[in-house]
Amino acid sequence: MPLNNSNAAILSDLNEPQKQAVTHRDGALLVVAGPGSGKTRVITRRAAYLVQTGVPARSILAITFTNKAAEEMRHRIEALGVSRGMWVYTFHALGVRLLREFGSLAHLQSGFSIYDEADSLRVVKEAMQIEGVSEAVLKPDAIRTRISHAKNRLLTPQECTEQADWFEQATVARVYEAYAQLLHTRNAVDFDDLLMRVAVVLRDHADITERLNIRFRYVLIDEYQDTNHAQYLIAHLLSKHHGNICATGDPDQSIYAWRGADIRNILEFERDYPNAVVVRLEQNYRSTGQILRAASQLIQRNRQRKNKKLWTAADAGEPVRMWEFSEGSDEAKRIADTIAELRGDRRRYSDFAIFYRVNAVSRGMEEALRNRGIPYKIARGVEFYNRKEIRDTLAYLRVLANPADEVALLRIINTPARGIGKTTVDRLRTHANETRKSLLETLRAAETAPGLRGAAVKRAHAFGELLGQMQTVLDTPISEAVSSVLSLSGLEEALRKERDVGGEDRLANVEELVTAAMRYERENEEASMAEFLNHISLVSDQDAVDENAGCVLLMTLHAAKGLEFPIVFLVGLEQGLLPHERSLGLSGDVEEERRLCFVGITRARERLYLSRAQERLIRGRPMPRPASQFIRELDTGDLIWKNYQTTSTRGFAGSTIDGFVPLVEDLPPEEAAKLTPKRRLRSGSLRATAGDGSGIGDEDALFAGRARSSEAAAGGSSSTGANWKPGTLIQHDRYGVGQVLWVRPGGGQTRAGIRFAGHGEKTLILELAPIRRLERGKQ
DNA sequence: AGCAAGATGCTTTTT
DNA sequence: GCATCTTGCT
């Protein structure tokens, strides 16, 4: 097809592989897109190209993982002049949309509720109670996770029961069955159902699949590396007849395996689609050469990947910094100072981002930034829709839209307080179960419940009456219904009465909900309350990340995917944090942690600061922190190292010179032994300028201390614990002499409780801690 | 019924 | 360290 003018515009600023991906017409296409390689550009241009070459916009279906990604894609495609009508959805929103049409096939009634993880957990607990499974034996959340994984793999409770070959699996299967039954009677689905049920309908109803294949002739899936089996099957079936599936993604950025994503979906794409065209986008337009080199070197350690050679035409740029601190608080302070300094140098606050592995690390960062007067925002946590007052309001609406929604009903039955206490609720629920009626019905016939006294019956009636009256608000516009519920329920009044701090905020929050409803009804004129509620269920805090808020942004590495910043601080490069300790066990996956680190590094455009602390507050307690293995893995020899050692905090066992503590682990042990403290210090600063990879910053030097203590830990024999009996005296590089109190092997690591003079008891990992045995008569 | 102190447990998380 | 749940008191 000859190119017309706009085609030329669509292709003009693309490189060759990008062009190939954009202009690929029919058949399977896999775009393996490295970070910063213009993936989003390729997807949007491809959509525009298809339309300009005659494919109706409404015949294209694009699937993303986040609402934010979907929105951005929609905007960018419209900006390219493509008419509306294209379907751009998240997998889950697509699920809702399809279940609205085919829900009856999945045994759902209209107005069904979507249960988030918190709701779902309540139902799991209820199911456990029914099945008589003690929460002490299996944690409800662990069961919830396992049910979730089963659903992602499209396993029904029956199949789980059949496959269960030991007691624990059978127990989970039993709870799963009861859980599914409870969801069914509540006319509710969880997040996983939105995928599983659609996948099953498509799998079992060839006619529907065929119709959808005719409706959508081109299917695009972004972040394909993060698809789970259900999503894989949905994508596969939706393109089964025409085969026009275009998957984009990067195996190196797969960071959700722990939640069911299967990296094999992308690694084995070519096996699933033998005629697939594979395009690799390897040119990076985002980062400097130095940043990209570190990232590439790190990720090459992974075995589970498609080889990919990232390159850039950009300058090498500034070397990557590696900062080491005595303590987490020093790290935070130094970073805040650096941001303040660099901001004077024509930088805006929104140029900076700070990434960490776990949310808990953000607190120290926040404090330091606050003290420095630096505006910041955190992309996490206390999201709008998770606030108590919002959830309460939504629970009322949920009960109105879906009277079977018992989780919501239980939430509001005594909120605000109306004298229906725990005892009354228990009796009502028992009676409801015995008479096989819904809780709502039982509420209205409370007098039939055994054990309920006059006053309790009256209150129950009154509440049932109230809900009945409220039912009429569903005939009004959504935002009006929200307002009416707020006043009729007494929630508004209760909030107004809250004189304590935050009462005003909570009132403002519920008003914000009314505003959100107004916005929604403007954009979706025909929508019902149930649809509004479904929409809200699928909104996440991830969607609220605003890269241009004029603030420094703080977020977890998971939240950082897909974003980019001129200057990035990646903090807490410590063994146990990144890689996280939960990935270091027997079943753990260090490769995913490495990918997480890779994702973090590749967010940086111009400057990258990596940092670690030797000691950090973990759950309020100071814990020694060994360096992350990733530091040496990514060190190309160009890193600029800096030790910010202070003695201001607590006395170290080692001698201190000029306010610095020698970092013994920075040098091979033989070297360290020869050096005087002063020379150690100088060698530290020498390394800080040795960017030529001359060998001074030997890649394993940092780990010399660790390697040595591992040797010592092994004690010449293969059994680690054997030589570390309680009572053994040891020497720790920083805490000095200590005595082993207990030893606990497990998960390839041996933990030991050691009491140090002046530092109290610490729990150390023998394989990692910078310790050595003290031989009798020595020292 | 309602509250407050105390115990427990938990810390990755697109939807 | 913090949030959530439990227990015990009024």
Side-chain angles (χ1 to χ4, degrees):
Chain A
M1 173 156 310
L3 298 181
N4 60 32
N5 278 344
S6 28
N7 267 341
I10 283 178
L11 300 176
S12 64
D13 51 355
L14 301 178
N15 65 32
E16 274 312 312
Q18 286 176 336
K19 259 182 218 165
Q20 197 196 344
V22 167
T23 58
H24 172 90
R25 188 59 191 262
D26 289 348
L29 170 68
L30 173 65
V31 182
V32 181
S37 61
K39 182 187 64 167
T40 311
R41 171 179 276 206
V42 164
I43 297 171
T44 51
R45 299 290 178 95
R46 178 170 156 76
Y49 184 85
L50 286 172
V51 171
Q52 294 209 343
T53 52
V55 178
R58 64 186 304 278
S59 299
I60 302 170
L61 169 65
I63 311 176
T64 63
F65 272 82
T66 65
N67 295 299
K68 193 178 171 227
E71 215 142 282
E72 191 189 332
M73 196 182 291
R74 210 174 284 131
H75 278 135
R76 288 181 59 168
I77 289 170
E78 273 171 29
L80 288 170
V82 173
S83 62
R84 287 153 192 265
M86 206 174 125
W87 274 35
V88 186
Y89 280 120
T90 65
F91 267 107
H92 291 82
L94 178 69
V96 171
R97 186 74 196 257
L98 293 178
L99 285 179
R100 205 189 300 153
E101 280 173 57
F102 311 114
S104 58
L105 294 172
H107 311 291
L108 278 177
Q109 292 152 35
S110 66
F112 63 83
S113 300
I114 297 173
Y115 281 7
D116 65 13
E117 273 166 22
D119 297 323
S120 160
L121 189 65
R122 299 211 76 87
V123 182
V124 168
K125 284 178 181 168
E126 209 180 323
M128 287 173 73
Q129 224 154 36
I130 291 170
E131 291 297 324
V133 178
S134 157
E135 297 192 6
V137 177
L138 275 166
K139 284 179 219 147
D141 202 60
I143 296 192
R144 207 208 83 245
T145 305
R146 289 171 66 162
I147 293 174
S148 170
H149 282 136
K151 286 188 173 186
N152 289 161
R153 283 160 41 218
L154 304 181
L155 292 172
T156 61
Q158 292 73 34
E159 286 165 329
C160 283
T161 308
E162 285 159 21
Q163 291 181 15
D165 46 12
W166 83 88
F167 178 74
E168 199 185 80
Q169 282 185 340
T171 309
V172 172
R174 250 167 57 220
V175 176
Y176 178 14
E177 176 139 35
Y179 171 80
Q181 187 56 43
L182 285 171
L183 283 187
H184 178 70
T185 60
R186 282 149 184 60
N187 192 27
V189 294
D190 60 23
F191 284 145
D192 303 309
D193 281 323
L194 292 176
L195 307 175
M196 179 178 180
R197 299 198 186 209
V198 168
V200 168
V201 166
L202 294 176
R203 185 190 65 193
D204 298 343
H205 297 270
D207 53 324
I208 291 175
T209 302
E210 191 178 343
R211 259 165 60 203
L212 288 169
N213 268 261
I214 293 167
R215 168 75 159 81
F216 301 109
R217 288 171 48 210
Y218 291 85
V219 178
L220 289 82
I221 305 120
D222 195 17
E223 308 280 17
Y224 194 72
Q225 75 281 357
D226 287 330
T227 49
N228 60 35
H229 181 68
Q231 289 161 329
Y232 161 85
L233 194 64
I234 291 171
H236 181 74
L237 292 173
L238 284 177
S239 55
K240 189 180 168 192
H241 293 268
H242 48 63
N244 296 325
I245 180 172
C246 167
T248 58
D250 180 3
D252 291 338
Q253 293 181 65
S254 160
I255 55 176
Y256 286 103
W258 53 272
R259 120 180 266 187
D262 191 344
I263 193 171
R264 285 176 305 182
N265 289 342
I266 191 164
L267 292 177
E268 294 171 9
F269 188 86
E270 290 158 89
R271 212 179 65 190
D272 292 329
Y273 303 93
N275 298 320
V277 170
V278 179
V279 176
R280 285 189 164 73
L281 303 182
E282 297 176 318
Q283 183 174 3
N284 176 295
Y285 296 95
R286 178 188 295 154
S287 308
T288 64
Q290 292 267 11
I291 291 167
L292 206 60
R293 271 186 63 195
S296 297
Q297 178 165 309
L298 176 71
I299 205 64
Q300 265 165 11
R301 293 235 172 198
N302 275 6
R303 298 175 60 88
Q304 276 218 340
R305 64 187 299 262
K306 272 183 184 288
N307 198 28
K308 195 159 73 271
K309 261 213 135 28
L310 298 176
W311 63 280
T312 178
D315 292 340
E318 296 269 330
V320 176
R321 318 281 164 145
M322 180 63 230
W323 288 354
E324 298 176 283
F325 301 90
S326 312
E327 276 198 77
S329 57
D330 300 335
E331 180 188 47
K333 237 176 277 159
R334 184 78 205 102
I335 287 172
D337 290 347
T338 306
I339 291 172
E341 279 163 29
L342 289 174
R343 186 170 177 272
D345 187 24
R346 305 194 310 277
R347 295 289 188 178
R348 295 171 306 164
Y349 286 126
S350 53
D351 288 343
F352 301 90
I354 303 173
F355 302 151
Y356 35 78
R357 178 64 234 266
V358 300
N359 277 313
V361 173
S362 77
R363 195 170 306 120
M365 288 291 151
E366 285 180 72
E367 203 187 311
L369 292 170
R370 250 197 325 267
N371 290 340
R372 262 287 191 176
I374 296 169
Y376 65 90
K377 266 210 173 118
I378 303 178
R380 74 112 150 92
V382 216
E383 325 87 330
F384 180 71
Y385 291 109
N386 265 344
R387 292 188 182 141
K388 183 183 179 300
E389 63 276 17
I390 299 295
R391 287 191 80 109
D392 289 343
T393 313
L394 291 174
Y396 275 93
L397 299 168
R398 273 166 58 181
V399 172
L400 298 182
N402 176 18
D405 189 337
E406 206 175 294
V407 171
L409 181 57
L410 285 170
R411 185 180 180 96
I412 58 173
I413 200 163
N414 200 31
T415 307
R418 50 172 68 85
I420 306 179
K422 194 177 179 306
T423 319
T424 310
V425 172
D426 281 347
R427 284 177 181 150
L428 285 169
R429 288 182 75 184
T430 308
H431 189 57
N433 283 336
E434 279 164 2
T435 55
R436 306 201 161 268
K437 287 197 170 137
S438 77
L439 183 59
L440 189 59
E441 285 172 299
T442 312
L443 200 62
R444 287 171 172 148
E447 69 282 353
T448 62
L452 278 195
R453 285 203 336 247
V457 171
K458 231 170 142 181
R459 291 181 191 133
H461 279 163
F463 182 55
E465 194 74 8
L466 175 69
L467 289 177
Q469 281 170 18
M470 280 189 184
Q471 205 67 40
T472 59
V473 307
L474 290 185
D475 300 327
T476 65
I478 295 169
S479 60
E480 256 174 65
V482 179
S483 307
S484 307
V485 161
L486 275 168
S487 65
L488 287 173
S489 65
L491 275 178
E492 201 171 20
E493 208 191 328
L495 288 177
R496 200 163 280 137
K497 275 186 190 154
E498 280 186 53
R499 284 264 143 254
D500 67 324
V501 265
E504 302 259 305
D505 287 348
R506 285 190 276 270
L507 210 53
N509 285 338
V510 295
E511 249 136 57
E512 185 68 26
L513 184 63
V514 178
T515 312
M518 286 169 87
R519 204 178 318 129
Y520 181 81
E521 75 194 16
R522 217 174 28 244
E523 286 161 18
N524 306 272
E525 287 179 11
E526 297 294 308
S528 66
M529 177 59 77
E531 286 167 46
F532 172 62
L533 294 173
N534 286 350
H535 166 79
I536 283 184
S537 304
L538 299 181
V539 171
S540 77
D541 48 329
Q542 190 66 46
D543 302 320
V545 178
D546 182 359
E547 291 166 85
N548 296 308
C551 295
V552 174
L553 274 182
L554 279 63
M555 65 189 83
T556 63
L557 285 164
H558 283 94
K561 196 175 76 172
L563 305 176
E564 60 174 55
F565 300 88
I567 302 171
V568 165
F569 296 91
L570 176 43
V571 308
L573 274 155
E574 293 145 31
Q575 203 69 3
L577 244 195
L578 183 65
H580 195 267
E581 56 190 347
R582 283 167 72 157
S583 72
L584 291 170
L586 288 172
S587 58
D589 184 0
V590 180
E591 295 214 345
E592 179 150 312
E593 297 290 309
R594 199 175 277 117
R595 291 193 289 267
L596 205 45
C597 189
F598 175 78
V599 165
I601 292 170
T602 53
R603 301 306 97 196
R605 285 219 294 262
E606 298 166 36
R607 287 187 187 213
L608 175 64
Y609 297 85
L610 309 170
S611 59
R612 64 171 275 240
Q614 289 178 295
E615 182 177 274
R616 187 184 296 279
L617 291 178
I618 304 283
R619 270 167 264 167
R621 310 241 69 180
M623 298 288 279
R625 311 289 321 157
S628 168
Q629 64 185 86
F630 298 155
I631 297 175
R632 81 179 125 99
E633 291 176 6
L634 65 80
D635 187 359
T636 53
D638 298 326
L639 290 187
I640 291 195
W641 294 73
K642 259 194 186 135
N643 288 323
Y644 291 93
Q645 297 294 318
T646 60
T647 53
S648 59
T649 47
R650 66 195 76 230
F652 285 100
S655 56
T656 62
I657 304 289
D658 300 341
F660 284 81
V661 172
L663 253 190
V664 179
E665 63 188 285
D666 260 354
L667 292 166
E670 322 77 66
E671 291 287 317
K674 285 184 229 150
L675 295 175
T676 64
K678 204 150 199 161
R679 276 201 57 211
R680 286 180 198 170
L681 165 64
R682 211 175 286 126
S683 78
S685 51
L686 182 65
R687 288 188 55 188
T689 51
D692 56 1
S694 63
I696 295 176
D698 180 340
E699 79 164 314
D700 284 318
L702 181 68
F703 285 74
R706 220 191 85 197
R708 185 200 51 211
S709 55
S710 296
E711 258 169 51
S717 83
S718 55
S719 63
T720 303
N723 294 317
W724 295 88
K725 296 189 195 72
T728 308
L729 288 177
I730 58 102
Q731 168 81 38
H732 187 283
D733 280 355
R734 295 210 332 283
Y735 299 119
V737 178
Q739 185 169 31
V740 176
L741 298 174
W742 50 264
V743 180
R744 180 159 33 88
Q749 293 181 343
T750 316
R751 277 162 226 276
I754 300 176
R755 185 169 43 219
F756 293 99
H759 295 282
E761 190 184 330
K762 310 262 176 198
T763 301
L764 304 179
I765 293 169
L766 293 182
E767 285 85 350
L768 299 174
I771 56 176
R772 60 184 173 277
R773 288 166 64 90
L774 284 179
E775 278 152 49
R776 241 173 281 255
K778 219 176 156 189
Q779 200 136 23

